[in-house]
Amino acid sequence: VGTSSARRTALLRRHRPDLEIGMLRGNLDTRLRRLEEGKFDAVVVACAGLERLGRTERLSERLDPFEFVPAVGQGMLAVTCRREDKESREIVRAVNDERAHRLADIERVFLAQVGGGCEVPLGCYGEEKDDEIRLVAVLASFDGRKEIRSEVRGEIDRGEELARQLAGRILDQGGRAMIDEIRGDRAV
């Protein structure tokens, strides 16, 4: 199974220790081509990328984001423009999805509290329904043998507070030591 993500690798190893995981780099077309060439039996990529490029016919399975927790802000698009460019700012404001933006901000609060980064197999996913948020996070070792998982729920208006609470739970359950160990392994 091909992937380029430390988080995906760790979660795959956690859920399916029988799989052989291989590093897969490149854009989506390159990754799909390597699958077609038989270099991998399967690849794990973000559904959002397949959807954006109109390639959902290649999608064989959607992984449950509460089980296979995505990276913070996974699937989100960010658009920036010059501050003084009022016309562009209006266009950006018109296409902004306030709900998705709020969820991304809440997930980023979690990430800032935990202090993870690209090298840490860490995920956080929030979902809003009826003014309530469900927020789940996972931190795993590279080999998938250790996993710390927690979840919080509450009013969406308390989202940032809940994200800090969730980060505290992950860190207090051994996450601090795990992150230090992961960073130490990467420094070697």
Side-chain angles (χ1 to χ4, degrees):
V1 176
T3 185
S4 63
S5 161
R7 178 189 46 78
R8 289 181 185 139
T9 299
L11 292 176
L12 283 167
R13 287 180 175 152
R14 175 75 176 167
H15 293 278
R16 291 289 308 274
D18 59 311
L19 295 177
E20 182 181 328
I21 312 299
M23 184 55 65
L24 177 62
R25 298 254 184 230
N27 64 30
L28 185 58
D29 287 330
T30 299
R31 293 173 192 212
L32 293 175
R33 186 173 56 251
R34 293 210 175 114
L35 176 66
E36 291 163 4
E37 293 169 350
K39 295 189 173 151
F40 295 95
D41 296 319
V43 297
V44 180
V45 298
C47 290
L50 290 169
E51 290 168 353
R52 273 191 220 107
L53 295 176
R55 304 290 304 271
T56 55
E57 79 283 354
R58 299 306 314 261
L59 183 61
S60 61
E61 182 177 353
R62 284 182 187 269
L63 301 173
D64 181 345
F66 288 104
E67 289 300 315
F68 204 88
V69 183
V72 168
Q74 183 82 48
M76 301 286 180
L77 287 177
V79 179
T80 62
C81 64
R82 292 179 306 277
R83 188 168 293 172
E84 65 278 358
D85 186 342
K86 291 180 182 179
E87 183 179 350
S88 293
R89 287 177 56 135
E90 286 303 315
I91 292 168
V92 169
R93 193 173 290 119
V95 298
N96 184 42
D97 180 336
E98 288 293 332
R99 186 174 170 174
H101 194 153
R102 179 173 49 211
L103 287 170
D105 286 346
I106 291 167
E107 291 175 12
R108 285 195 299 260
V109 166
F110 166 84
L111 183 62
Q113 292 291 306
V114 172
C118 297
E119 75 279 1
V120 177
L122 175 71
C124 180
Y125 177 73
E127 191 172 87
E128 180 184 348
K129 186 176 179 184
D130 300 325
D131 294 324
E132 297 281 320
I133 187 171
R134 178 180 178 196
L135 199 59
V136 63
V138 65
L139 172 63
S141 61
F142 287 116
D143 62 11
R145 292 184 181 164
K146 296 181 208 170
E147 180 180 277
I148 302 169
R149 180 179 290 266
S150 191
E151 181 177 315
V152 292
R153 294 174 189 241
E155 296 172 10
I156 189 67
D157 292 341
R158 294 182 47 236
E160 290 185 10
E161 174 190 339
L162 292 167
R164 285 188 288 275
Q165 181 183 48
L166 182 61
R169 287 183 185 180
I170 293 291
L171 293 171
D172 291 346
Q173 292 176 37
R176 280 184 183 91
M178 202 173 189
I179 290 171
D180 289 345
E181 182 181 323
I182 288 167
R183 288 197 173 124
D185 288 348
R186 287 291 192 192
V188 174

Short mmCIF file of all heavy atoms in Angstrom, two decimals, residues 135-167:
data_model
loop_
_atom_site.label_atom_id
_atom_site.label_comp_id
_atom_site.label_asym_id
_atom_site.label_seq_id
_atom_site.Cartn_x
_atom_site.Cartn_y
_atom_site.Cartn_z
N LEU A 135 -15.28 16.24 17.96
CA LEU A 135 -13.88 16.42 17.62
C LEU A 135 -13.12 15.20 18.12
O LEU A 135 -13.20 14.85 19.29
CB LEU A 135 -13.37 17.68 18.32
CG LEU A 135 -12.12 18.37 17.85
CD1 LEU A 135 -12.22 18.81 16.39
CD2 LEU A 135 -11.83 19.57 18.73
N VAL A 136 -12.41 14.55 17.21
CA VAL A 136 -11.63 13.36 17.56
C VAL A 136 -10.18 13.59 17.18
O VAL A 136 -9.90 14.31 16.21
CB VAL A 136 -12.19 12.09 16.86
CG1 VAL A 136 -12.08 12.19 15.36
CG2 VAL A 136 -11.51 10.83 17.36
N ALA A 137 -9.28 13.01 17.96
CA ALA A 137 -7.85 13.14 17.67
C ALA A 137 -7.16 11.81 17.92
O ALA A 137 -7.60 11.01 18.75
CB ALA A 137 -7.22 14.22 18.53
N VAL A 138 -6.07 11.61 17.19
CA VAL A 138 -5.26 10.41 17.36
C VAL A 138 -3.79 10.77 17.20
O VAL A 138 -3.44 11.61 16.38
CB VAL A 138 -5.67 9.29 16.37
CG1 VAL A 138 -5.40 9.69 14.94
CG2 VAL A 138 -4.99 7.97 16.70
N LEU A 139 -2.97 10.16 18.02
CA LEU A 139 -1.52 10.25 17.92
C LEU A 139 -1.02 8.82 17.94
O LEU A 139 -1.40 8.04 18.81
CB LEU A 139 -0.95 11.03 19.11
CG LEU A 139 0.57 11.06 19.26
CD1 LEU A 139 1.23 11.76 18.07
CD2 LEU A 139 0.96 11.74 20.56
N ALA A 140 -0.20 8.46 16.97
CA ALA A 140 0.28 7.08 16.87
C ALA A 140 1.79 7.04 16.72
O ALA A 140 2.40 7.99 16.23
CB ALA A 140 -0.38 6.38 15.67
N SER A 141 2.37 5.93 17.13
CA SER A 141 3.79 5.70 16.87
C SER A 141 3.94 5.29 15.41
O SER A 141 2.99 4.82 14.79
CB SER A 141 4.32 4.60 17.79
OG SER A 141 3.65 3.38 17.56
N PHE A 142 5.14 5.45 14.86
CA PHE A 142 5.36 5.12 13.46
C PHE A 142 5.05 3.66 13.15
O PHE A 142 4.55 3.35 12.07
CB PHE A 142 6.80 5.43 13.03
CG PHE A 142 7.08 6.89 12.90
CD1 PHE A 142 7.98 7.50 13.73
CD2 PHE A 142 6.42 7.66 11.95
CE1 PHE A 142 8.24 8.86 13.62
CE2 PHE A 142 6.66 9.01 11.83
CZ PHE A 142 7.58 9.61 12.67
N ASP A 143 5.34 2.78 14.09
CA ASP A 143 5.10 1.36 13.84
C ASP A 143 3.64 0.96 14.08
O ASP A 143 3.27 -0.17 13.82
CB ASP A 143 6.03 0.50 14.68
CG ASP A 143 5.84 0.67 16.18
OD1 ASP A 143 4.85 1.30 16.62
OD2 ASP A 143 6.69 0.16 16.94
N GLY A 144 2.82 1.89 14.55
CA GLY A 144 1.41 1.62 14.76
C GLY A 144 1.09 0.85 16.03
O GLY A 144 -0.06 0.56 16.32
N ARG A 145 2.10 0.53 16.81
CA ARG A 145 1.87 -0.28 18.02
C ARG A 145 1.27 0.53 19.17
O ARG A 145 0.58 -0.01 20.01
CB ARG A 145 3.16 -0.95 18.46
CG ARG A 145 3.60 -2.00 17.48
CD ARG A 145 4.82 -2.72 17.94
NE ARG A 145 5.20 -3.70 16.94
CZ ARG A 145 6.36 -4.28 16.88
NH1 ARG A 145 7.28 -3.99 17.78
NH2 ARG A 145 6.63 -5.14 15.93
N LYS A 146 1.58 1.82 19.20
CA LYS A 146 1.04 2.69 20.25
C LYS A 146 0.08 3.67 19.60
O LYS A 146 0.36 4.21 18.53
CB LYS A 146 2.15 3.47 20.94
CG LYS A 146 3.14 2.66 21.69
CD LYS A 146 4.15 3.60 22.33
CE LYS A 146 5.49 2.94 22.51
NZ LYS A 146 6.52 3.91 22.90
N GLU A 147 -1.00 3.91 20.28
CA GLU A 147 -1.97 4.89 19.79
C GLU A 147 -2.66 5.54 20.98
O GLU A 147 -3.06 4.86 21.91
CB GLU A 147 -3.01 4.20 18.90
CG GLU A 147 -4.04 5.16 18.36
CD GLU A 147 -5.07 4.47 17.48
OE1 GLU A 147 -4.79 4.28 16.29
OE2 GLU A 147 -6.14 4.12 18.00
N ILE A 148 -2.77 6.83 20.91
CA ILE A 148 -3.54 7.59 21.90
C ILE A 148 -4.68 8.24 21.12
O ILE A 148 -4.45 8.93 20.14
CB ILE A 148 -2.69 8.67 22.59
CG1 ILE A 148 -1.48 8.02 23.28
CG2 ILE A 148 -3.54 9.46 23.58
CD1 ILE A 148 -0.45 9.02 23.75
N ARG A 149 -5.88 7.99 21.57
CA ARG A 149 -7.06 8.47 20.86
C ARG A 149 -8.01 9.07 21.89
O ARG A 149 -8.18 8.53 22.98
CB ARG A 149 -7.72 7.29 20.15
CG ARG A 149 -8.96 7.61 19.38
CD ARG A 149 -9.50 6.34 18.71
NE ARG A 149 -8.63 5.90 17.64
CZ ARG A 149 -8.80 6.23 16.36
NH1 ARG A 149 -9.81 6.99 16.00
NH2 ARG A 149 -7.97 5.81 15.44
N SER A 150 -8.63 10.19 21.54
CA SER A 150 -9.61 10.79 22.43
C SER A 150 -10.62 11.56 21.60
O SER A 150 -10.38 11.86 20.42
CB SER A 150 -8.93 11.72 23.43
OG SER A 150 -9.84 12.10 24.45
N GLU A 151 -11.73 11.87 22.23
CA GLU A 151 -12.82 12.58 21.55
C GLU A 151 -13.54 13.49 22.54
O GLU A 151 -13.64 13.17 23.73
CB GLU A 151 -13.80 11.53 21.01
CG GLU A 151 -14.96 12.10 20.26
CD GLU A 151 -15.86 11.01 19.68
OE1 GLU A 151 -15.35 10.03 19.10
OE2 GLU A 151 -17.09 11.16 19.81
N VAL A 152 -14.02 14.61 22.02
CA VAL A 152 -14.85 15.53 22.81
C VAL A 152 -16.06 15.92 21.98
O VAL A 152 -16.02 15.88 20.75
CB VAL A 152 -14.07 16.80 23.26
CG1 VAL A 152 -12.99 16.45 24.26
CG2 VAL A 152 -13.51 17.56 22.09
N ARG A 153 -17.09 16.32 22.67
CA ARG A 153 -18.30 16.82 22.02
C ARG A 153 -18.82 18.01 22.82
O ARG A 153 -18.65 18.06 24.03
CB ARG A 153 -19.40 15.75 21.99
CG ARG A 153 -19.09 14.55 21.14
CD ARG A 153 -20.19 13.50 21.32
NE ARG A 153 -19.83 12.26 20.69
CZ ARG A 153 -20.51 11.69 19.72
NH1 ARG A 153 -21.62 12.25 19.27
NH2 ARG A 153 -20.12 10.56 19.20
N GLY A 154 -19.47 18.91 22.12
CA GLY A 154 -20.05 20.05 22.81
C GLY A 154 -20.59 21.07 21.83
O GLY A 154 -20.65 20.83 20.63
N GLU A 155 -20.97 22.21 22.37
CA GLU A 155 -21.52 23.28 21.54
C GLU A 155 -20.42 23.85 20.65
O GLU A 155 -19.30 24.06 21.08
CB GLU A 155 -22.08 24.39 22.43
CG GLU A 155 -23.24 23.95 23.29
CD GLU A 155 -23.64 25.02 24.29
OE1 GLU A 155 -23.15 26.17 24.19
OE2 GLU A 155 -24.46 24.69 25.16
N ILE A 156 -20.76 24.11 19.40
CA ILE A 156 -19.79 24.61 18.43
C ILE A 156 -19.17 25.93 18.90
O ILE A 156 -18.00 26.19 18.64
CB ILE A 156 -20.41 24.76 17.02
CG1 ILE A 156 -19.32 25.06 15.97
CG2 ILE A 156 -21.49 25.81 17.00
CD1 ILE A 156 -18.34 23.97 15.72
N ASP A 157 -19.93 26.74 19.63
CA ASP A 157 -19.40 28.01 20.13
C ASP A 157 -18.26 27.80 21.13
O ASP A 157 -17.50 28.72 21.39
CB ASP A 157 -20.51 28.83 20.78
CG ASP A 157 -21.53 29.34 19.77
OD1 ASP A 157 -21.20 29.36 18.56
OD2 ASP A 157 -22.65 29.69 20.17
N ARG A 158 -18.14 26.59 21.67
CA ARG A 158 -17.06 26.26 22.59
C ARG A 158 -15.96 25.46 21.88
O ARG A 158 -15.14 24.82 22.52
CB ARG A 158 -17.60 25.43 23.76
CG ARG A 158 -18.57 26.17 24.65
CD ARG A 158 -19.04 25.32 25.83
NE ARG A 158 -17.94 24.65 26.51
CZ ARG A 158 -17.88 23.31 26.68
NH1 ARG A 158 -18.81 22.51 26.25
NH2 ARG A 158 -16.84 22.78 27.31
N GLY A 159 -15.95 25.49 20.55
CA GLY A 159 -15.05 24.66 19.76
C GLY A 159 -13.58 24.80 20.11
O GLY A 159 -12.88 23.80 20.27
N GLU A 160 -13.11 26.04 20.25
CA GLU A 160 -11.69 26.23 20.56
C GLU A 160 -11.36 25.71 21.95
O GLU A 160 -10.31 25.10 22.16
CB GLU A 160 -11.31 27.70 20.39
CG GLU A 160 -11.33 28.11 18.92
CD GLU A 160 -10.83 29.53 18.69
OE1 GLU A 160 -10.29 30.14 19.63
OE2 GLU A 160 -10.98 30.00 17.56
N GLU A 161 -12.24 25.94 22.90
CA GLU A 161 -12.05 25.41 24.25
C GLU A 161 -12.02 23.88 24.22
O GLU A 161 -11.18 23.25 24.88
CB GLU A 161 -13.21 25.90 25.14
CG GLU A 161 -13.23 25.33 26.53
CD GLU A 161 -14.52 25.67 27.27
OE1 GLU A 161 -15.20 26.65 26.89
OE2 GLU A 161 -14.84 24.94 28.22
N LEU A 162 -12.92 23.28 23.46
CA LEU A 162 -12.95 21.83 23.34
C LEU A 162 -11.68 21.30 22.67
O LEU A 162 -11.16 20.24 23.05
CB LEU A 162 -14.19 21.38 22.56
CG LEU A 162 -15.52 21.61 23.28
CD1 LEU A 162 -16.68 21.43 22.31
CD2 LEU A 162 -15.66 20.68 24.48
N ALA A 163 -11.17 22.04 21.68
CA ALA A 163 -9.92 21.63 21.02
C ALA A 163 -8.76 21.65 22.00
O ALA A 163 -7.92 20.73 22.00
CB ALA A 163 -9.64 22.55 19.84
N ARG A 164 -8.70 22.65 22.87
CA ARG A 164 -7.64 22.71 23.88
C ARG A 164 -7.81 21.57 24.89
O ARG A 164 -6.83 20.95 25.31
CB ARG A 164 -7.65 24.07 24.59
CG ARG A 164 -7.06 25.19 23.73
CD ARG A 164 -6.89 26.49 24.50
NE ARG A 164 -8.16 27.14 24.77
CZ ARG A 164 -8.79 27.94 23.94
NH1 ARG A 164 -8.27 28.21 22.76
NH2 ARG A 164 -9.94 28.49 24.28
N GLN A 165 -9.05 21.28 25.24
CA GLN A 165 -9.33 20.16 26.15
C GLN A 165 -8.88 18.83 25.53
O GLN A 165 -8.25 18.00 26.19
CB GLN A 165 -10.83 20.13 26.47
CG GLN A 165 -11.25 19.04 27.42
CD GLN A 165 -12.76 19.05 27.61
OE1 GLN A 165 -13.52 19.10 26.65
NE2 GLN A 165 -13.19 19.01 28.86
N LEU A 166 -9.19 18.64 24.28
CA LEU A 166 -8.80 17.43 23.56
C LEU A 166 -7.28 17.31 23.49
O LEU A 166 -6.71 16.23 23.73
CB LEU A 166 -9.40 17.43 22.16
CG LEU A 166 -9.15 16.21 21.29
CD1 LEU A 166 -9.73 14.95 21.92
CD2 LEU A 166 -9.76 16.43 19.90
N ALA A 167 -6.60 18.40 23.19
CA ALA A 167 -5.13 18.40 23.14
C ALA A 167 -4.56 18.02 24.51
O ALA A 167 -3.62 17.21 24.59
CB ALA A 167 -4.62 19.77 22.71
#
